[in-house]
Amino acid sequence: MTAPGIITDIDGVTSSDEDSNTSTTWDRKIIVANFLPLHTSKDQTNGKWCFAWDEDSLLLQLKDGFSADTEVLYIGSLKVDVDASEQEEVAQKLLEDYRCIPTFLSPDLQKKFYHGFCKQQLWPLFHYMLPICLDKGDLFDRSLFQAYVSANKIFADKVVEVINSDEDYVWVHDYHLMLLPTFLRRRLNRVRLGFFLHSPFPSSEIYRTLPVRDEILRALLNADLIGFQTFDYARHFLSCCSRMLGLNYESKRGYIGLEYFGRTVNVKILSVGVHIGRLQSLLNFPDTFTKVQEIEQRFKGKKLLLGVDDMDIFKGISLKLLGLELLLERHPKLRGEIVLVQIVNPARSMGKDVNEAREEAISIAKRVNLCYGAPGYEPVLLIDSPIPFYEKIAFYVAAECCIVNAVRDGMNLVPYEYIVCRQGTEEMDKCRGVGLELPHTSTLIVSEFVGCSPSLSGAFRVNPWSVEDVADALYQATDLSVSEKQLRHEKHYRYVSSHHVAYWARSFAQDLERACKDHYNRRCWAIGFGLGFRVVALSPSFRKLSFNHIISSYKKTHGRAIFLDYDGTLVPEASIDNTPSADIISMLNNLCSDPKNTVFIVSGRGQTSLDEWFASCDDLGIAAEHGYFIRWMKATDWESSSNVVDSDWKKIAEPVMRLYTETTDGSYIEPKESALVWHHQYADPDFGSCQAKELLDHLENVLANEPVVVKRGQHIVEVKPQGVSKGVVVEKLIRTLVNSGKPPDFVMCIGDDRSDEDMFESINSASSSNLFPAVPEVFACTVGQKPSKAKYYLEDTGEVIRLLQGIAAISTKQNKITHNQVSFVRPHEADD
C-alpha cells in the first residue's frame, strides 16, 4: 500500500530513514469537491458538450503529489446545468475520458445549496460575519440547510457507487461538503476518509452561533484526518470540539489527535502551495512575453504596485485603496511615481453586499484618480473585467510590490504566485533584457488575517482595518533598497519552492494513510441517528454483556464477588440527586441476601455519604475514597488502608489548591479524609484545563518528598496517599476472601470512568495469576461503548440496573427453593 518507512507510528518510531519526500502509492484515490476541475462548453454547431481540464485547478494539480501508477477519480458538479435527457451520456463520457463522476444537482437544489446555505450562511460565518441585523446578513434558514443535507447525500451516493472500501482513500475538500463524512461513515464504517478545509475556521465564540453547530462538528469527526491551513484555524476547531462536545485532544510525537468514541481523529496543519511547473510554463508562454513588455513600457519610470482579488466583501479592496489615498496625501513626492493596478476577479457569489463592495471600490478609485492624478497619469488602474491568467502572470512579473489586504481569508495563493513569477525563468529574463547577474527581487504586503501570512516572514504584515498601517507599509515597500528586496525575495522563494502543491498533497496522503492503518484491528459499532451518527471503534474482544451469557455462569458458581462503582454506574453521572433510589436499595439487598455473594460498592465518595445512603443494606460491603476505607458489612467497623500516612501533606497542598480556586471561576475543592480533589467541570473548558495542568505541575513539585500521588482525571486534579486505588482495594478484597477459605469462582466488576479501569486491570491480572485455586469466571464491564480494559460493556446505568435486578431475582428464587427444601425435610428428621 505504501513504500516502507514513510509513515511514522504515533506510538513507535520511523521504521527506516528513507527520504520523507518519497511518494505515497495508493491503488486509487477519490477526490470529492463541489466542482470538477473541468472547463465545460457546448458546441453550438452540433449541440454536443465539450470538456477540457482546468489546468489551474488545485484539484488537478494535487495529482503531482501521488505516484504515476495511482488512479485518481474526481467527484463533483459541473459549473453548467445539463438537461436530464443528456446527463447519462455526459456522465459516461466524463467517466471514460476524464475519470470524473458528475453529481447532477437540480437548478433549485444547486441554488439553495451553493448560493444559499454555502454562500449566505457558512461563508460569512467562517469569515467572522454575523447576521446582527437583517441588513447585515441573512438569518439562519432551515430550508437552506435541508438543501445542504440533500446535496451532501447526493455526493455520498456517488462516492458509494465507485468506492472499494478495502482499497480506496477518499479526500473531501472544503466547507461545501462538511456533512459528507457522516453519510459515508454510516454506509462504510471503515472508509478511509480525509477532509481538508480551505477556508478559515472561526473562533468558538463565532461558530457557536450556528444553529446546526453540533451536527457539522460531529460530521467532520467522522473523518480520519481533518486538515487546516493554519494553526489558528485548527485551534479554533479543537476549541469548538472541547467546548461544545466535551472532547479532549493531545499532541503526541508531533501529531494532534482527538479521541472520539474509540477512534483517533487526526488533525493536520499544512498550508496549500502553488504548482511551480504550471506557473513557469505560463511564464514562457509567448503571449506572456508580449504582455510583460507592454506593461513595462506602459508604466516605464513608475513603481508598479499590484493587487489581485476576488470581488468579495472580505478581500479589503476598498481599505487597500484608502491606504493608497492616505499615502499620496502624506507623501506628495510619490504622486506621479507609483501606480496601483487592482485586478478584480469575478465574484463567486451573488448579493447586494458584493454589488455594494464593487460600487465602493470604483467610487474610491475615481476619487483617488481625481484628487491625485494628472494628464497621462492615474494612480489607480482598476481592472474590473475577466482577463486571461497569462495577463495576471505578466502583471506579477512587472510589479515591484504585491499587496494582499483581505480582512479575512483562508489560503490566498496570490503572494505565492507573485513570488514564483518574480523569480521568473531564463527565457523570461532574456525577453525582458535582464542580465543573469542581476538579482531577483520582490516585496510583499500581507494582511495579518490571511492564511499564508505566517509562512511569509519577510513580508510587511498589516492590520487591514488600519488605513494608517496600510499606508505606512506601502511607503516602506517603495523605499526598500535592492539588497533588502533581494533578501526578502530569496527567503520567500525558498519556502514557496519547497512547499508546493505536490508537497502538500503528498504530506496529506501520508498522514491519511497513517491515520487509517489500524482500521481492521478494531471492531466498529454504528450508533446514533441522522446527523448524530458515529462509529465506535473497539477491541475485537469487546462485546455487550448479555443477561443470558452471564446467567449460566452465575447459576453454576458457588462463591461470587461483585464489585460495583456508584456514580455513573448505579446512578447517572449528571444526576442532581445522587442518593440511591428504593429500587437500587432493594436490588442490592436481594443480591446480598444470597450467601454465595459478596457485594461491594467501590466508590471515590467519602465514607460518611456512603454510610448514610446505604444504611439499610446490612450485608453490603463498602470501599470508600477509592478503597482508603473498607467496611465488610454494616455491623463491622471501618478499616483504614494499611498505607495510612501522616496528613501533614494537606497543609502543603490545600493552600496551593485554594490559590487556583480563587483564580479559576467555577472551580472548587472537595476535601476528603484521605485525599483532596480540585474540580473544574464548571469552569471555562480551556482555562480550566490549562489551570489543571499548571496545578498538576505545581503540586508535583511541592509534594515531591511526600508519600502521596498527584493525578489528573476527568475535570479533576486529585492528591491521595500512595498505594490507594480501586485496583489495589479490589485485589485486597479478593485476597482476603481466598485466605479465608472462600475463593470466588465468579467475579463481576462494573464501572464507568478512569478510576474503574484500575479495577478491570486488577481483576484481569489476578484471574490469570495463581491467586485463585481455580480460574474464575470474570466479567469486567464498563458503562458505555468506549475504549476500556474491560471485555464487556453495557450502554447506560439503566441497563446496569436491569442486569443486576435480573441476577438478584435469580438469587431470590434460589434462596426460596433452598428454604422450602429445608422446611420439607425437617418433619421426617423429627420422626426419625
Side-chain angles (χ1 to χ4, degrees):
M1 185 167 60
T2 177
I6 296 174
I7 301 171
T8 301
D9 192 337
I10 289 181
D11 297 316
V13 295
T14 307
S15 56
S16 82
D17 295 324
E18 291 191 28
D19 191 315
S20 61
N21 287 330
T22 305
S23 291
T24 299
T25 302
W26 288 349
D27 290 334
R28 190 164 67 159
K29 297 180 294 294
I30 301 174
I31 309 298
V32 191
N34 186 32
F35 291 118
L36 293 170
L38 294 171
H39 290 304
T40 308
S41 61
K42 198 166 190 178
D43 192 325
Q44 297 302 318
T45 58
N46 57 22
K48 297 289 186 180
W49 286 102
C50 302
F51 306 97
W53 286 117
D54 180 1
E55 299 290 343
D56 299 317
S57 170
L58 181 71
L59 300 177
L60 184 64
Q61 295 172 354
L62 63 79
K63 290 173 65 175
D64 284 6
F66 311 132
S67 62
D69 59 349
T70 301
E71 179 188 5
V72 178
L73 289 176
Y74 290 101
I75 295 178
S77 296
L78 294 170
K79 296 179 182 178
V80 296
D81 183 27
V82 178
D83 189 82
S85 62
E86 302 174 291
Q87 289 178 2
E88 185 175 349
E89 180 183 352
V90 167
Q92 189 67 28
K93 179 177 177 61
L94 289 177
L95 180 60
E96 292 176 356
D97 297 349
Y98 297 94
R99 306 303 294 161
C100 291
I101 295 95
T103 53
F104 296 110
L105 305 183
S106 67
D108 181 61
L109 179 59
Q110 177 71 13
K111 182 180 179 181
K112 290 182 177 180
F113 157 63
Y114 181 66
H115 296 291
F117 192 74
C118 289
K119 287 301 182 181
Q120 294 178 24
Q121 308 275 319
L122 290 180
W123 178 257
L125 184 79
F126 278 30
H127 289 75
Y128 286 71
M129 182 178 176
L130 294 176
I132 299 173
C133 59
L134 291 177
D135 291 336
K136 298 298 181 183
D138 295 314
L139 296 176
F140 180 78
D141 186 337
R142 179 66 63 172
S143 68
L144 296 183
F145 178 66
Q146 291 302 327
Y148 186 77
V149 172
S150 299
N152 275 252
K153 284 182 178 178
I154 293 174
F155 277 82
D157 291 340
K158 292 297 181 182
V159 175
V160 173
E161 284 179 15
V162 299
I163 192 173
N164 179 343
S165 59
D166 292 337
E167 300 173 3
D168 298 348
Y169 285 77
V170 181
W171 187 358
V172 182
H173 289 263
D174 223 3
Y175 66 96
H176 316 91
L177 302 173
M178 289 193 293
L179 299 181
L180 189 56
T182 283
F183 296 131
L184 291 178
R185 186 72 64 188
R186 176 188 292 166
R187 298 166 74 171
L188 303 165
N189 292 167
R190 290 187 174 90
V191 63
R192 297 163 175 174
L193 179 59
F195 178 91
F196 194 90
L197 183 67
H198 294 266
S199 75
F201 195 93
S203 71
S204 61
E205 292 303 307
I206 298 293
Y207 181 78
R208 71 196 307 173
T209 63
L210 184 64
V212 288
R213 59 190 189 182
D214 287 0
E215 290 90 332
I216 290 177
L217 278 184
R218 293 191 184 279
L220 289 176
L221 290 170
N222 276 315
D224 296 296
L225 177 66
I226 306 173
F228 296 93
Q229 302 276 12
T230 70
F231 172 71
D232 277 348
Y233 304 158
R235 178 170 55 85
H236 294 159
F237 171 76
L238 294 170
S239 176
C240 288
C241 290
S242 172
R243 291 172 176 273
M244 297 168 205
L245 303 181
L247 301 178
N248 296 319
Y249 64 91
E250 63 177 358
S251 179
K252 195 172 184 182
R253 293 191 180 274
Y255 296 99
I256 300 175
L258 270 165
E259 289 300 320
Y260 186 62
F261 291 95
R263 296 171 49 248
T264 299
V265 181
N266 290 267
V267 174
K268 182 175 182 61
I269 302 162
L270 183 64
S271 59
V272 178
V274 294
H275 195 288
I276 308 293
R278 169 63 176 165
L279 292 173
Q280 289 176 339
S281 66
L282 286 170
L283 284 168
N284 293 332
F285 194 48
D287 287 351
T288 308
F289 293 157
T290 305
K291 191 64 182 179
V292 169
Q293 292 172 341
E294 177 189 321
I295 294 170
E296 292 184 332
Q297 183 62 35
R298 178 179 179 181
F299 298 104
K300 189 175 182 179
K302 295 181 176 60
K303 294 182 178 179
L304 182 60
L305 313 178
L306 179 65
V308 180
D309 302 280
D310 295 343
M311 178 45 69
D312 191 300
I313 59 176
F314 301 109
K315 299 303 181 184
I317 297 175
S318 296
L319 294 171
K320 185 190 306 182
L321 297 176
L322 291 174
L324 177 69
E325 183 179 39
L326 183 58
L327 173 72
L328 296 174
E329 177 187 334
R330 288 181 173 180
H331 302 281
K333 65 177 183 178
L334 294 177
R335 299 171 190 175
E337 293 187 7
I338 63 171
V339 175
L340 171 62
V341 175
Q342 176 62 54
I343 299 174
V344 180
N345 299 323
R348 300 186 187 183
S349 60
M350 304 173 292
K352 63 179 181 179
D353 288 336
V354 174
N355 294 330
E356 289 173 359
R358 175 182 287 107
E359 292 170 2
E360 184 179 38
I362 293 173
S363 173
I364 296 173
K366 288 181 178 178
R367 186 178 72 218
V368 174
N369 288 336
L370 182 64
C371 293
Y372 303 107
Y377 166 71
E378 288 187 339
V380 179
L381 174 60
L382 193 65
I383 302 176
D384 188 23
S385 58
I387 63 173
F389 191 54
Y390 77 86
E391 288 194 20
K392 294 179 188 175
I393 296 292
F395 276 106
Y396 283 143
V397 173
E400 292 187 30
C401 174
C402 181
I403 174 170
V404 176
N405 202 52
V407 296
R408 185 71 59 179
D409 209 350
M411 189 61 203
N412 195 314
L413 294 178
V414 167
Y416 291 175
E417 294 172 347
Y418 169 70
I419 291 164
V420 173
C421 292
R422 289 291 289 180
Q423 181 68 19
T425 62
E426 288 187 17
E427 291 81 356
M428 178 59 74
D429 288 346
K430 290 177 183 178
C431 168
R432 299 176 64 203
V434 176
L436 296 177
E437 71 282 355
L438 292 179
H440 293 97
T441 63
S442 65
T443 307
L444 275 170
I445 301 173
V446 180
S447 163
E448 297 172 359
F449 305 109
V450 174
C452 63
S453 176
S455 62
L456 299 171
S457 56
F460 292 100
R461 293 196 182 102
V462 296
N463 175 4
W465 296 104
S466 172
V467 175
E468 291 189 352
D469 274 6
V470 176
D472 289 343
L474 285 168
Y475 179 77
Q476 294 178 61
T478 58
D479 199 39
L480 283 180
S481 65
V482 174
S483 60
E484 188 168 356
K485 290 180 182 178
Q486 179 186 359
L487 289 173
R488 289 171 183 260
H489 172 77
E490 290 174 349
K491 184 176 187 179
H492 290 158
Y493 186 72
R494 281 195 300 271
Y495 177 84
V496 174
S497 60
S498 59
H499 292 73
H500 42 71
V501 65
Y503 171 83
W504 167 73
R506 180 167 54 245
S507 179
F508 190 91
Q510 292 171 354
D511 280 7
L512 180 56
E513 186 174 348
R514 177 188 56 79
C516 300
K517 69 183 185 301
D518 66 341
H519 269 199
Y520 287 89
N521 295 333
R522 296 189 175 189
R523 296 174 67 190
C524 293
W525 298 77
I527 59 176
F529 298 96
L531 295 177
F533 174 86
R534 56 215 181 266
V535 167
V536 179
L538 304 167
S539 167
S541 61
F542 193 72
R543 55 179 174 160
K544 188 168 184 176
L545 182 59
S546 68
F547 180 75
N548 293 333
H549 179 62
I550 196 174
I551 203 64
S552 60
S553 299
Y554 187 83
K555 287 180 177 180
K556 68 183 181 182
T557 50
H558 305 285
R560 311 180 191 110
I562 300 174
F563 304 104
L564 305 172
D565 173 47
Y566 185 67
D567 293 284
T569 301
L570 296 182
V571 294
E573 189 72 48
S575 177
I576 297 175
D577 183 9
N578 291 312
T579 57
S581 65
D583 289 340
I584 292 177
I585 296 296
S586 173
M587 174 267 295
L588 290 173
N589 279 327
N590 288 337
L591 282 175
C592 294
S593 65
D594 191 332
K596 298 178 181 179
N597 292 346
T598 300
V599 184
F600 261 86
I601 296 292
V602 185
S603 172
R605 287 190 175 272
Q607 56 178 333
T608 304
S609 299
L610 295 174
D611 190 13
E612 178 184 342
W613 290 346
F614 297 103
S616 57
C617 299
D618 294 340
D619 297 320
L620 178 67
I622 298 176
E625 298 189 19
H626 297 297
Y628 188 82
F629 295 102
I630 301 172
R631 190 182 70 182
W632 284 85
M633 58 183 62
K634 184 177 179 180
T636 61
D637 295 329
W638 285 97
E639 304 171 12
S640 296
S641 169
S642 58
N643 299 318
V644 175
V645 296
D646 196 328
S647 60
D648 286 348
W649 59 267
K650 289 187 178 180
K651 299 176 182 178
I652 303 172
E654 192 166 7
V656 175
M657 285 188 173
R658 196 179 305 119
L659 172 66
Y660 283 81
T661 303
E662 292 170 355
T663 56
T664 311
D665 190 31
S667 65
Y668 64 94
I669 301 172
E670 178 190 1
K672 297 180 180 179
E673 190 164 337
S674 67
L676 286 174
V677 185
W678 187 76
H679 295 262
H680 63 92
Q681 68 263 40
Y682 302 122
D684 177 89
D686 288 339
F687 185 56
S689 179
C690 178
Q691 289 290 80
K693 183 177 182 299
E694 290 297 319
L695 176 59
L696 182 72
D697 293 340
H698 196 159
L699 289 172
E700 285 178 341
N701 287 331
V702 298
L703 298 173
N705 297 321
E706 300 293 330
V708 294
V709 293
V710 185
K711 285 193 173 183
R712 186 176 175 185
Q714 186 75 11
H715 303 307
I716 67 165
V717 175
E718 183 176 24
V719 185
K720 60 183 180 181
Q722 293 175 349
V724 174
S725 73
K726 289 186 177 182
V728 171
V729 72
V730 164
E731 183 179 353
K732 177 181 177 180
L733 294 173
I734 291 175
R735 194 175 297 276
T736 302
L737 290 172
V738 172
N739 293 338
S740 63
K742 301 177 181 177
D745 51 2
F746 175 98
V747 179
M748 183 171 70
C749 177
I750 306 178
D752 74 302
D753 64 14
R754 295 180 185 177
S755 63
D756 299 313
E757 295 296 316
D758 292 338
M759 282 200 293
F760 304 148
E761 185 177 20
S762 177
I763 288 173
N764 290 333
S765 60
S767 63
S768 59
S769 68
N770 56 5
L771 176 61
F772 295 93
V775 178
E777 297 272 6
V778 175
F779 297 91
C781 178
T782 188
V783 181
Q785 296 184 44
K786 57 180 180 287
S788 174
K789 294 172 183 174
K791 293 184 178 180
Y792 301 93
Y793 75 91
L794 292 169
E795 291 289 357
D796 50 32
T797 56
E799 283 199 355
V800 174
I801 298 300
R802 286 192 291 274
L803 177 74
L804 294 175
Q805 286 175 336
I807 294 173
I810 296 296
S811 287
T812 303
K813 183 177 180 181
Q814 288 182 340
N815 289 340
K816 288 182 178 178
I817 292 173
T818 303
H819 178 75
N820 291 336
Q821 287 175 342
V822 171
S823 301
F824 179 75
V825 169
R826 281 176 181 168
H828 295 280
E829 292 175 344
D831 291 342
D832 291 340

